[in-house]
Amino acid sequence: QVQLVESGGGLVQPGGSLRLSCAASGSIFSIKAMGWYRQAPGKQRELVATITSGGSTNYADSVKGRFTISRDNAKNTVYLEMNSLKPEDTAVYYCVATKIKDYWGQGTQVTVSS
């Protein structure tokens, strides 16, 4: 089992920045990739960004150039740096770790509003 704990969400004005963190614990060996998804009210959960164990990254088109995913292997933590935030970025953000199956965190709310 892998346990994931997200933090860093909150309320921010349009154009502002936030950094999300996801700390992994438990059976973290052989995690192939970690990433972030988000789900806005009334919408399906969607991919935001992923990073493999080798450091390769992938981003949704809607966040390219604004969001950056990174990982600190020593701390077993993945980060999502979010800049130039827009109201449409408002959602619950979920951390995911992929082994043979996916493990999900509980989610952290991000609200972009003036």
Side-chain angles (χ1 to χ4, degrees):
Q1 294 286 345
V2 177
Q3 293 79 44
L4 302 172
V5 178
E6 301 109 328
S7 60
L11 172 64
V12 63
Q13 292 186 341
S17 299
L18 281 175
R19 188 175 81 154
L20 305 182
S21 300
C22 173
S25 61
S27 182
I28 61 173
F29 294 102
S30 300
I31 291 178
K32 299 176 183 178
M34 295 185 69
W36 293 91
Y37 282 68
R38 67 187 181 187
Q39 187 166 19
K43 295 187 176 182
Q44 289 188 329
R45 191 172 296 188
E46 63 176 6
L47 169 74
V48 177
T50 60
I51 185 166
T52 68
S53 57
S56 297
T57 58
N58 180 52
Y59 295 93
D61 288 342
S62 60
V63 307
K64 282 181 181 177
R66 300 189 298 123
F67 291 12
T68 302
I69 189 170
S70 62
R71 63 192 296 167
D72 184 334
N73 291 329
K75 295 182 178 180
N76 300 318
T77 300
V78 171
Y79 304 97
L80 185 68
E81 185 75 36
M82 304 185 294
N83 298 313
S84 302
L85 283 160
K86 304 175 182 179
E88 50 264 42
D89 294 317
T90 295
V92 177
Y93 283 69
Y94 296 92
C95 179
V96 61
T98 299
K99 294 179 64 173
I100 296 175
K101 57 176 277 188
D102 289 337
Y103 296 86
W104 294 88
Q106 81 287 353
T108 185
Q109 177 70 46
V110 172
T111 302
V112 185
S113 175
S114 55

